[in-house]
Amino acid sequence: NRWLTGKSLPPGALERITDTVADRVRVPWFAGAVKINVSLVPPLVLLPVLLHVAALHFLLGLVILTSLPVVVLWYYYLTHRRKERTLFFLSLGLFSLGYMYYVFLQEVVPRGHVGYSQVVTLTCGLILMLAALSRAKKDPGYLPIPASNEKSSHQGLPNKSVRGSSNGLHGVTTSGAATGRAVNGEAKGYSRMSAEEPEGVKKDWCTKCQLIRPARAGHCRLCGRCVRRLDHHCVWINSCVGEQNHQAFILALSFFMLTSVYGITLTLHTICRGRTPFVALFYCPGAYSDYSSALSFTCVWYCAIVTAGMGYILLIQLLNISYNVTEREARLALRDNTGRRLLGGLVIDTGQYNRGFLCNWGHFLSLGSSPPQRSAEDIV
């Protein structure tokens, strides 16, 4: 009725409709209906449909494969602006892996040009990548919330430990603690000085978690927790990348790159015989001779687009590790104009923790080797 009459919806109406629909999407089960996360559904339905439509004609493939990254980036911008967590990207990534593997076994292997050992190698790479991804999904290094803060929150007491100076904290005003703006994943309403420390010794006080953070830790506005050596919040694993899972994250990216490039090479050697993979990717005359070849070629291009994006992420990560800087530190350095742009702006060197290439990699490889010790400041 409002659409026909040209009247606008009241504020929050679309959000309430969306929440109601999401709450009603359930699957019958023995112990009762199970609620389904709506963000899981679009990749499962749209990805096979779009890839099969793209395989019908070259122009359809060009339009769909060009628009897919745009839609994904638009959805990322939308959720990032609203500070929302979503399973869409994790679902898209996992289902893409499964569906590409299914197309490879169903359309490429029966042609007889892929050996048994090559299928085993590709399968092992996929399993190793999933194992590393499972490890990366675990605790990134969350800082424990002090028990005193939990008790005070349960008792409904005011936040005097943060706002007053009589409880041993200086430099935190009421307005500073109340505003607590989040910029680049960092809560800005925190104290920089602890009364129990001598003058000149600075600590980061997080007003969200109400704890003193160690060096290089940061608050994730999506997870709502402080993480040791926070690098960034990765939407593809729906979790933070921090001290405890950064190595597994790099390992998962590396296994994905190797497995994806190997699968693309095997597929192109099968449907475009006699040409190198790079040439076959741009010039393969017999790709649309039959639907099976067209679907395989379309999936190859989809994999190539995803691999290029993940390769860029891996490159930035490797450069940051080589200079011992995290994504969060690079963003803060750009904001405060305290870092140096190197390699055409691909990496921001803050100079604060850079100890040379070998020492930086040695520090990264030793992350999470021993459980972090809780200091007196963390307990307080």
Side-chain angles (χ1 to χ4, degrees):
N1 181 43
R2 290 179 178 271
W3 178 70
L4 292 175
T5 57
K7 296 180 180 179
S8 60
L9 289 172
L14 290 178
E15 286 77 5
R16 290 193 297 271
I17 294 173
T18 305
D19 293 339
T20 303
V21 172
D23 184 67
R24 297 296 188 271
V25 178
R26 297 174 182 266
V27 174
W29 200 246
F30 299 102
V34 179
K35 185 177 179 181
I36 302 298
N37 194 314
V38 180
S39 60
L40 292 172
V41 179
L44 306 182
V45 177
L46 294 179
L47 183 62
V49 172
L50 292 177
L51 289 179
H52 278 275
V53 172
L56 295 175
H57 194 271
F58 170 74
L59 293 179
L60 286 174
L62 183 63
V63 172
I64 291 177
L65 292 176
T66 304
S67 60
L68 265 178
V70 177
V71 173
V72 172
L73 290 175
W74 170 80
Y75 187 72
Y76 168 75
Y77 170 77
L78 186 65
T79 54
H80 186 73
R81 186 182 61 180
R82 295 181 178 178
K83 304 180 182 65
E84 296 177 354
R85 296 189 67 178
T86 176
L87 293 175
F88 173 83
F89 299 98
L90 179 61
S91 174
L92 178 62
L94 292 178
F95 185 69
S96 296
L97 287 173
Y99 191 71
M100 294 303 106
Y101 185 69
Y102 167 78
V103 171
F104 179 79
L105 296 180
Q106 194 75 15
E107 306 292 343
V108 180
V109 174
R111 293 174 178 264
H113 301 293
V114 178
Y116 177 77
S117 60
Q118 294 172 322
V119 176
V120 171
T121 302
L122 185 69
T123 304
C124 290
L126 185 63
I127 293 174
L128 290 174
M129 192 276 295
L130 292 176
L133 182 63
S134 175
R135 175 60 187 89
K137 281 284 296 175
K138 294 183 179 180
D139 180 16
Y142 292 121
L143 287 173
I145 299 178
S148 58
N149 291 338
E150 294 179 356
K151 292 179 180 179
S152 63
S153 62
H154 287 309
Q155 294 173 356
L157 295 177
N159 242 344
K160 294 179 181 179
S161 60
V162 179
R163 299 183 182 183
S165 60
S166 60
N167 288 332
L169 293 176
H170 295 281
V172 182
T173 63
T174 303
S175 59
T179 53
R181 298 184 303 274
V183 177
N184 292 330
E186 186 73 12
K188 295 195 68 176
Y190 55 78
S191 171
R192 281 285 184 173
M193 187 66 65
S194 171
E196 298 176 358
E197 300 290 340
E199 195 73 22
V201 178
K202 297 183 179 181
K203 297 288 183 180
D204 279 349
W205 175 262
C206 178
T207 60
K208 303 294 184 180
C209 300
Q210 297 187 12
L211 52 80
I212 298 178
R213 298 180 298 204
R216 311 192 76 175
H219 184 88
C220 176
R221 61 181 180 179
L222 297 178
C223 296
R225 295 284 298 275
C226 284
V227 181
R228 292 183 180 274
R229 198 184 177 277
L230 175 63
D231 189 84
H232 69 288
H233 182 94
C234 181
V235 295
W236 294 105
I237 64 174
N238 194 32
S239 178
C240 288
V241 176
E243 184 178 82
Q244 298 297 317
N245 67 340
H246 202 170
Q247 294 175 354
F249 178 73
I250 295 297
L251 200 60
L253 280 176
S254 301
F255 278 129
F256 171 80
M257 291 294 299
L258 294 175
T259 305
S260 179
V261 171
Y262 186 63
I264 290 173
T265 302
L266 291 178
T267 305
L268 289 176
H269 275 314
T270 301
I271 62 177
C272 300
R273 299 190 61 79
R275 290 181 173 83
T276 61
F278 183 78
V279 174
L281 190 62
F282 294 95
Y283 182 70
C284 185
Y288 286 87
S289 59
D290 58 276
Y291 187 76
S292 176
S293 299
L295 180 61
S296 301
F297 189 72
T298 302
C299 291
V300 161
W301 259 105
Y302 176 74
C303 289
I305 294 173
V306 175
T307 303
M310 294 301 170
Y312 176 77
I313 295 176
L314 179 60
L315 174 63
I316 298 300
Q317 286 288 315
L318 295 179
L319 290 176
N320 286 343
I321 294 170
S322 301
Y323 286 90
N324 201 359
V325 62
T326 63
E327 280 292 314
R328 168 182 168 270
E329 292 167 349
R331 288 195 300 265
L332 294 178
L334 284 178
R335 186 193 67 185
D336 301 334
N337 198 22
T338 57
R340 294 185 305 146
R341 292 179 177 269
L342 301 176
L343 302 178
L346 290 177
V347 64
I348 307 299
D349 182 19
T350 61
Q352 189 174 3
Y353 302 102
N354 188 1
R355 298 296 181 269
F357 181 83
L358 294 179
C359 290
N360 293 339
W361 273 96
H363 170 74
F364 173 76
L365 295 176
S366 64
L367 290 178
S369 57
S370 59
Q373 301 294 328
R374 294 185 64 182
S375 62
E377 289 86 355
D378 295 335
I379 299 176
V380 173

